[in-house]
C-alpha cells in the first residue's frame, strides 16, 4: 500500500508545514510595530504618543524633532484612530505605556499619579507662558504639563455667500439660525458644526453666560439660559439647514472647502487650508450669544505634553520635554505655524511669529484673546462625555433639556465627589 | 494503563494486518495523549477565560478607576450604580430590539437564498460564491462603506441619491434617532455580511433531504411549491434552523463593530458590549463598574441558557434531526 503510506507522509508534511507557518506567523506578528526602535539618538529608549494631526507634514515634523535629540532615542506612535483618548488611557495601564504623551489637562490624571510634576522644568520660564496655559495645568501649586499649542475654535464663512443671501455676521444664536436658513440652497446647507454636535457644547454654555464648573468646582452649566440654548439648538437641528452626516468631522476643513455648507465651525489649525481654497473670500466669527444676556465665546483648545509618572524613564522623558518644548524655540515655532496655524503659548514665540501678525490669522489671535475660554483642569473626560450626552439626548433626540441636564448632573457630581471629596 | 489491555482483549487487532510497530511508553499512554491534546485548549481556557472572569468579579467590588489593581473595597456600590444607570439598562433593551430584527430577517433571507441557489440549473457555483463572499469582509470595513458612501447624510450618498430621484429630502441616516433610521443601516450591513454564511448551512441541509420524500409526495398528489416546502422542506430543516437561530442569537449578542463604528457619541443604539466598552475601556476607565456590568450580563446569559435548555431542549441529545 505504497499509495496509502505516501498519503500519510504527505498529510504529515502538510501538518508540519502548517504548524511551521503558524509559528512563523506568530513570530512575524511580534516583529511589527511594537513601539521599539526607530529612534536615532543614543541613551535610553523613549516612546511618545501623539494623536494624528490632520495637516500634511505634522507626523514628519514630530519625528524630525525627535531625531535631532541626542540624549535618548525617541520613538513616535502616531494614533490615527478617532478615539485617541481611549487608546491612550488603555495603553497607559499596560507595559507598552508611552513615556510621554500629548493630551489635555485633566485632574484625574494628576490624582491617580499618572502624570509627573513638571514644575522644575517649567518654573524657570513660567513668565514666558500665557498665564492661562499655566493656570490650566496647575494643581496645588504644581505644574503637570507643558502646553505646545493653543487652538482657538470659531466659525469660518465666505463673505461673498453672505452678501448674496443678504446675511450679516450673526451675533446671537437666533441670528445664526436665521442665517443658516437663508444660506441653505438645494445643494448647500447653511451651517456645519460637526456630525454629532459635541464640539459646540462648551461654547454654547459659555455664550449663555454660564460655565462648566465654577471656581469651587461645582456645577455651573445647569442654568435656565443653557436650557434655552439647548432648545434653540433642537430647533436648528430639525430645521434642515444644518449639514448632518458629512463624510468628515468638524475639525476637518473639507465640508466648507467642498461646498457642502456655507458656514463651518472649525479651528485655527485649518485656516491655511481655507485660505488656500478661498483666498480673501474668508471670514471668521466667534460662537454667538446663546441668549441676549450672554457673551460671545471661543474655545481655546490645544495640546500639551505630559510625562508618564509610572513609566520607566521619567527623568529622561522630562529631559526630552524640556529640550524640545522649553528650549528649542525654533521647533516650537515651526510646530505652531508651519503646518496648521496654532497660537504659540510662549509669549516670546508669539511675538516673533510673523505668520500670525496680519490678516485673518491676526483676527484669529484677536478672537482668542478677546473671547477665549481655556480648559478647566477639573472638567475631566467622564464629565465631558456626560456633557456630550446632553447634546445627544435633548438636541439630536427630542428629549427634555432639563432632564438631560439632570442626568448629566448625576454623572458630574459622582466624578466631583471622587475627585474632590 | 489497564484500559489499553482491556481494549485489546475485547477487540483483538485483526491478525498482523498492520506492519506498524505498536506504540509503547509515554506515546502509548492514553492519559498522556488525552492531556497532550486537551491541555493546550484547557490552558487557553483557563488563562483567557476563567482568570479574566475571576478578575472581573474581584474588580467589581472595588473602586477601580484608571487601574486594574485597585485597593479600595466598596462592596456592591458598582452593582447598584450599573443597575440604576439608564444607559446600561437601556442597552439590554437595545440588544433585544436588535435580536428581534436581525435573527428572523437573516434566517428568512439566508433560507430564501439557499432555496434559490439550490434550484439553479447552471452557474450554481458562481452564485453560491457571490452570496458567500461578503462573509470574508470585515465588519469594520463594511461599517465604513455603509457610513461613508451608502448611508452618508450628504446629497451624494447612495441612499440619498436614490430617494432624491423621488423628490425626497436628504436624510441624515445615522445622526438623528427619530425616526430611527440607524436601525436600517445596522441591519442591512449585518444582513449583507452574514446571510451568505448561513445560506451555505441551509444549502448543505437542503442537499441532505432525500429526493424520495419529494417523489413520494408527488405521487400522493402534493403540489410542488408552497405545499412541499411547508410539509417536507421546513420540517426536514428543523435541526439546521434551530442551530442557525442559536448561532444568530449568539452573533447578535456579540455585535460590537458596526455599532461602535456607525454611531458616534450617541446615547442610543448601544448594545451591552458597546456600553461596557465605553464604561470600562473607553474614556471613563471605570473597571469596577464595567466589571459589575459584565458580571450582571454573565448571570443573565446563564439564566437564559438554562431557560432555553428547559424550553427548547436543545443539547439534550434527542435532537438527532
Amino acid at each position: 500500500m505504497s499509495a496509502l503510506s505516501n498519503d500519510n507522509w504527505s498529510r504529515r508534511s502538510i501538518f508540519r508545514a502548517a504548524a511551521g507557518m503558524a509559528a512563523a506567523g506568530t513570530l512575524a506578528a511580534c516583529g511589527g510595530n511594537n513601539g521599539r526602535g526607530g529612534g536615532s539618538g543614543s541613551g535610553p529608549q523613549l516612546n511618545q504618543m501623539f494623536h494624528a494631526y490632520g495637516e500634511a507634514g505634522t507626523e514628519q515634523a514630530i519625528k524630525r524633532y525627535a531625531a535631532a535629540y541626542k540624549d535618548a532615542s525617541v520613538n513616535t506612535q502616531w494614533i490615527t484612530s478617532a478615539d485617541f483618548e481611549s487608546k491612550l488611557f488603555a495603553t497607559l495601564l499596560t507595559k507598552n505605556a508611552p513615556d510621554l504623551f500629548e493630551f489635555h489637562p485633566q485632574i484625574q490624571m494628576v490624582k491617580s499619579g499618572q502624570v509627573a510634576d513638571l514644575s522644575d522644568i517649567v518654573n524657570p520660564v513660567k513668565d514666558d507662558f500665557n498665564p492661562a496655559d499655566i493656570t490650566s495645568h496647575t494643581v496645588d501649586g504644581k505644574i503637570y504639563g507643558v502646553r505646545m499649542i493653543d487652538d482657538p475654535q470659531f466659525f469660518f464663512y465666505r463673505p461673498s455667500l453672505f452678501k448674496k443671501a443678504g446675511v450679516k455676521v450673526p451675533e446671537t444664536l437666533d441670528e445664526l439660525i436665521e442665517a443658516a436658513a437663508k444660506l441653505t440652497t438645494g445643494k448647500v446647507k447653511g451651517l456645519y458644526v460637526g456630525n454629532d454636535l459635541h464640539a459646540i457644547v462648551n461654547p454654547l454654555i459659555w455664550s449663555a453666560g454660564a460655565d462648566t464648573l465654577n471656581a469651587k468646582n461645582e456645577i455651573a452649566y445647569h442654568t435656565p439660559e443653557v436650557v434655552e440654548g439647548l432648545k434653540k439648538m433642537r430647533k436648528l437641528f430639525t430645521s434642515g439647514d444644518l449639514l448632518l452626516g458629512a463624510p468628515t468631522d468638524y475639525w476637518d476643513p473639507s465640508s466648507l472647502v467642498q461646498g457642502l455648507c456655507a458656514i463651518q465651525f472649525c479651528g485655527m489649525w485649518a485656516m491655511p487650508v481655507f485660505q488656500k481654497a478661498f483666498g480673501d473670500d474668508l471670514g471668521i466669527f466667534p460662537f454667538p450669544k446663546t441668549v441676549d444676556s450672554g457673551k460671545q465665546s471661543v474655545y481655546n483648545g490645544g495640546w500639551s505634553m505630559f510625562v508618564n509618572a509610572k513609566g520607566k524613564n521619567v527623568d529622561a522623558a522630562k529631559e526630552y520635554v524640556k529640550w524640545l518644548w522649553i528650549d528649542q524655540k525654533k521647533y516650537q515655532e515651526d510646530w505652531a505655524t508651519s503646518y496648521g496655524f496654532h497660537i504659540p503659548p510662549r509669549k516670546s514665540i508669539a511675538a516673533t511669529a510673523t505668520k500670525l501678525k496680519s490678516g485673518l490669522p491676526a483676527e484669529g489671535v484677536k478672537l482668542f484673546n478677546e473671547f477665549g475660554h481655556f480648559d478647566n483642569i477639573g472638567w475631566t473626560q467622564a464629565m465631558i462625555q456626560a456633557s456630550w450626552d446632553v447634546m445627544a439626548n435633548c438636541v439630536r433626540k427630542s428629549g427634555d433639556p432639563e432632564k438631560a441636564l439632570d442626568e448629566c448632573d448625576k454623572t458630574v457630581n459622582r466624578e466631583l465627589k471622587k475627585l474632590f471629596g | 494503563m489497564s484500559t489499553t489491555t482491556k481494549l485489546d482483549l475485547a477487540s483483538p487487532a485483526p491478525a498482523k494486518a498492520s506492519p506498524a510497530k505498536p506504540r509503547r511508553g509515554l506515546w502509548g499512554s492514553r492519559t498522556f495523549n488525552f492531556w497532550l491534546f486537551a491541555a493546550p485548549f484547557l490552558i487557553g481556557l483557563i488563562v483567557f477565560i476563567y482568570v479574566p472572569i475571576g478578575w472581573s468579579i474581584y474588580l467589581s467590588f472595588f473602586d477601580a478607576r484608571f487601574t486594574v489593581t485597585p485597593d479600595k473595597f466598596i462592596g456592591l456600590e458598582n452593582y447598584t450604580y450599573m443597575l440604576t444607570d439608564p444607559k446600561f439598562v437601556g442597552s439590554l433593551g437595545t440588544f433585544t430590539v436588535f435580536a428581534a430584527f436581525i435573527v428572523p430577517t437573516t434566517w428568512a433571507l439566508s433560507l430564501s437564498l439557499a432555496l434559490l441557489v439550490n434550484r439553479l440549473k447552471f452557474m450554481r457555483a458562481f452564485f453560491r460564491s457571490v452570496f458567500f463572499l461578503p462573509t470574508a469582509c470585515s465588519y469594520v470595513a463594511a461599517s465604513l462603506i455603509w457610513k461613508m458612501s451608502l448611508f452618508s447624510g450628504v446629497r451624494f450618498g447612495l441612499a440619498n441619491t436614490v430617494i432624491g430621484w423621488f423628490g425626497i429630502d436628504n436624510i441624515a441616516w445615522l445622526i438623528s434617532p427619530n425616526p430611527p433610521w440607524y436601525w436600517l443601516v445596522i441591519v442591512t450591513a449585518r444582513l449583507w455580511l452574514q446571510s451568505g454564511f448561513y445560506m451555505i448551512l441551509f444549502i448543505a441541509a437542503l442537499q441532505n433531504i432525500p429526493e424520495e420524500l419529494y417523489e413520494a409526495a408527488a405521487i400522493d398528489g402534493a403540489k410542488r411549491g408552497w405545499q412541499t416546502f411547508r410539509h417536507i422542506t421546513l420540517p426536514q430543516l428543523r435541526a439546521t434552523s434551530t442551530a442557525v437561530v442559536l448561532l444568530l442569537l449568539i452573533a447578535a449578542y456579540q455585535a460590537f463593530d458596526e455599532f461602535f463604528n456607525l454611531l458616534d457619541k450617541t446615547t442610543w443604539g448601544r448594545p451591552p458590549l458597546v456600553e461596557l466598552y465605553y464604561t470600562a475601556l473607553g474614556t471613563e476607565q471605570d473597571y469596577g463598574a464595567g466589571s459589575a456590568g459584565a458580571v450582571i450580563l454573565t448571570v443573565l446569559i446563564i439564566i437564559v441558557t438554562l431557560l432555553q435548555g428547559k424550553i427548547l431542549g436543545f443539547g439534550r441529545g434527542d435532537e438527532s434531526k
Side-chain angles (χ1 to χ4, degrees):
Chain A
M1 299 278 276
S2 65
L4 189 71
S5 63
N6 209 358
D7 232 353
N8 264 335
W9 182 87
S10 71
R11 224 179 285 148
R12 268 187 204 168
S13 66
I14 285 169
F15 174 73
R16 254 186 237 127
M21 273 159 75
T26 321
L27 289 176
C30 296
N33 185 4
N34 54 11
R36 284 184 289 272
S40 74
S42 56
Q45 167 82 49
L46 292 176
N47 284 317
Q48 58 176 352
M49 201 183 230
F50 277 79
H51 88 287
Y53 286 76
E55 295 79 43
T58 43
E59 185 178 0
Q60 290 79 355
I62 284 293
K63 288 182 173 164
R64 194 171 69 241
Y65 310 150
Y69 188 56
K70 295 297 166 225
D71 296 335
S73 86
V74 183
N75 178 58
T76 306
Q77 277 175 283
W78 195 254
I79 307 300
T80 49
S81 74
D83 52 345
F84 172 73
E85 303 93 17
S86 308
K87 175 97 181 168
L88 171 69
F89 289 170
T91 317
L92 281 174
L93 294 177
T94 68
K95 268 195 190 143
N96 295 327
D99 299 292
L100 56 156
F101 55 90
E102 64 164 3
F103 196 55
H104 317 288
Q106 292 190 1
I107 200 164
Q108 85 279 11
M109 310 276 269
V110 176
K111 297 261 172 178
S112 63
Q114 186 69 69
V115 291
D117 174 12
L118 303 181
S119 308
D120 51 335
I121 62 172
V122 180
N123 271 333
V125 287
K126 198 175 158 185
D127 295 337
D128 191 34
F129 272 92
N130 185 333
D133 284 324
I134 294 293
T135 312
S136 63
H137 291 71
T138 305
V139 178
D140 296 335
K142 291 178 183 164
I143 303 166
Y144 287 91
V146 181
R147 195 62 151 181
M148 300 181 290
I149 42 177
D150 283 322
D151 291 326
Q153 302 180 10
F154 32 64
F155 289 100
F156 288 82
Y157 71 101
R158 293 175 60 190
S160 64
L161 292 180
F162 271 41
K163 214 173 160 193
K164 218 167 81 188
V167 175
K168 71 176 185 62
V169 174
E171 286 179 8
T172 66
L173 190 52
D174 291 320
E175 285 174 12
L176 181 68
I177 294 170
E178 210 183 295
K182 281 188 186 162
L183 289 162
T184 300
T185 65
K187 289 195 167 172
V188 183
K189 293 283 186 187
L191 177 64
Y192 184 54
V193 292
N195 288 324
D196 47 43
L197 292 86
H198 79 270
I200 56 162
V201 174
N202 279 12
L204 186 83
I205 293 170
W206 290 320
S207 284
D211 205 342
T212 49
L213 299 173
N214 63 20
K216 283 186 275 174
N217 285 318
E218 295 161 342
I219 289 171
Y221 57 80
H222 197 149
T223 68
E225 289 80 19
V226 171
V227 171
E228 203 185 321
L230 288 168
K231 284 182 183 157
K232 287 178 186 175
M233 280 309 300
R234 172 71 188 167
K235 196 175 123 202
L236 174 63
F237 183 77
T238 50
S239 64
D241 305 325
L242 200 58
L243 175 64
L244 295 167
T248 52
D249 207 353
Y250 85 96
W251 51 262
D252 187 314
S254 302
S255 290
L256 184 64
V257 169
Q258 290 171 2
L260 294 175
C261 60
I263 311 173
Q264 182 183 342
F265 188 74
C266 198
M268 181 96 168
W269 59 83
M271 202 179 263
V273 180
F274 284 130
Q275 284 183 315
K276 204 176 152 211
F278 302 123
D280 287 339
D281 186 19
L282 184 70
I284 53 175
F285 62 89
F287 195 91
K289 290 185 234 177
T290 307
V291 290
D292 290 336
S293 59
K295 191 194 172 208
Q296 288 153 295
S297 71
V298 166
Y299 171 40
N300 291 344
W303 292 92
S304 322
M305 271 330 271
F306 297 91
V307 169
N308 178 7
K310 295 174 179 172
K312 275 168 261 157
N313 299 304
V314 178
D315 290 330
K318 272 167 90 168
E319 274 306 308
Y320 178 67
V321 171
K322 179 180 183 299
W323 174 80
L324 180 53
W325 299 110
I326 304 274
D327 298 340
Q328 298 298 317
K329 290 190 173 182
K330 272 244 152 48
Y331 288 147
Q332 291 163 40
E333 184 177 346
D334 178 67
W335 184 236
T337 59
S338 295
Y339 313 98
F341 283 162
H342 313 265
I343 297 177
R346 302 283 293 272
K347 291 176 198 163
S348 56
I349 298 172
T352 57
T354 45
K355 282 182 187 169
L356 307 178
K357 287 278 169 241
S358 58
L360 204 61
E363 234 177 281
V365 175
K366 206 176 137 219
L367 294 186
F368 166 85
N369 288 325
E370 210 173 324
F371 301 107
H373 293 256
F374 287 81
D375 281 318
N376 179 343
I377 194 165
W379 188 245
T380 62
Q381 200 65 36
M383 303 183 200
I384 293 168
Q385 202 96 30
S387 74
W388 292 345
D389 285 354
V390 171
M391 209 43 130
N393 279 335
C394 69
V395 175
R396 291 168 67 190
K397 206 168 162 180
S398 58
D400 174 26
E402 275 296 345
K403 202 178 142 236
L405 286 171
D406 284 343
E407 262 176 47
C408 181
D409 290 354
K410 222 174 103 189
T411 313
V412 172
N413 277 327
R414 182 172 180 256
E415 295 301 312
L416 288 172
K417 204 178 136 214
K418 286 194 174 183
L419 291 169
F420 303 106
Chain B
M1 269 200 63
S2 59
T3 32
T4 351
T5 31
K6 248 189 218 157
L7 242 183
D8 284 349
L9 284 173
S11 56
K16 310 276 177 252
S18 161
K21 283 181 215 152
R23 295 180 167 204
R24 281 205 204 92
L26 208 49
W27 293 99
S29 153
R30 294 192 103 207
T31 318
F32 174 77
N33 277 322
F34 169 77
W35 286 112
L36 179 68
F37 282 92
F41 300 101
L42 269 180
I43 292 170
L45 206 62
I46 290 167
V47 170
F48 294 110
I49 307 285
Y50 293 125
V51 169
I53 288 179
W55 201 340
S56 269
I57 295 173
Y58 171 77
L59 280 175
S60 70
F61 295 108
F62 284 84
D63 180 24
R65 300 289 303 263
F66 292 92
T67 175
V68 284
T69 49
D71 46 18
K72 199 174 148 207
F73 184 80
I74 55 167
L76 291 172
E77 200 183 292
N78 284 324
Y79 286 91
T80 48
Y81 172 72
M82 285 312 276
L83 286 171
T84 53
D85 179 16
K87 285 202 278 179
F88 179 69
V89 178
S91 74
L92 298 173
T94 302
F95 161 70
T96 313
V97 173
F98 178 56
F101 267 122
I102 196 73
V103 175
T105 43
T106 315
W107 180 84
L109 183 68
S110 46
L111 178 58
S112 353
L113 284 178
L115 288 168
L116 287 175
V117 170
N118 202 38
R119 293 203 48 178
L120 283 177
K121 293 276 185 301
F122 51 91
M123 303 238 319
R124 189 196 279 191
F126 171 76
F127 281 106
R128 210 168 46 202
S129 316
V130 162
F131 290 133
F132 181 70
L133 265 182
T135 307
C137 181
S138 101
Y139 274 76
V140 176
S143 304
L144 290 179
I145 295 168
W146 251 246
K147 183 183 188 172
M148 314 286 259
S149 63
L150 299 189
F151 288 97
S152 108
V154 290
R155 60 173 191 279
F156 45 75
L158 182 71
N160 276 340
T161 309
V162 172
I163 64 169
W165 295 335
F166 302 99
I168 303 170
D169 244 1
N170 288 350
I171 293 175
W173 303 93
L174 290 162
I175 306 300
S176 167
N178 25 6
W181 286 117
Y182 63 93
W183 279 123
L184 177 75
V185 184
I186 285 167
V187 170
T188 49
R190 187 163 266 255
L191 268 183
W192 182 75
L193 282 163
Q194 69 179 10
S195 293
F197 175 74
Y198 296 101
M199 176 198 74
I200 296 287
L201 296 188
F202 275 124
I203 288 180
L206 283 174
Q207 288 172 350
N208 263 339
I209 302 176
E211 197 53 35
E212 292 83 6
L213 281 179
Y214 292 101
E215 287 164 10
I219 291 167
D220 287 347
K223 289 186 211 81
R224 279 201 85 84
W226 174 247
Q227 217 169 18
T228 45
F229 174 72
R230 168 76 185 76
H231 293 287
I232 297 175
T233 317
L234 261 191
Q236 289 285 320
L237 289 178
R238 195 170 144 235
T240 311
S241 281
T242 317
V244 165
V245 167
L246 278 180
L247 287 174
L248 279 172
L249 265 178
I250 295 169
Y253 172 73
Q254 293 175 332
F256 180 85
D257 303 27
E258 70 267 50
F259 287 92
F260 184 75
N261 285 295
L262 286 171
L263 299 171
D264 288 323
K265 301 189 173 68
T266 63
T267 52
W268 53 86
R270 287 186 183 182
L273 292 190
V274 178
E275 192 57 52
L276 289 182
Y277 169 84
Y278 282 116
T279 309
L281 301 169
T283 45
E284 287 181 44
Q285 296 279 301
D286 192 338
Y287 290 89
S291 300
V295 172
I296 295 169
L297 269 189
T298 313
V299 171
L300 280 179
I301 292 169
I302 291 172
I303 293 172
V304 170
T305 314
L306 291 177
L307 276 183
Q308 73 89 15
K310 271 252 182 313
I311 294 164
L312 289 177
F314 194 75
R316 234 187 261 144
D318 52 352
E319 281 271 345
S320 56
K321 266 275 173 203

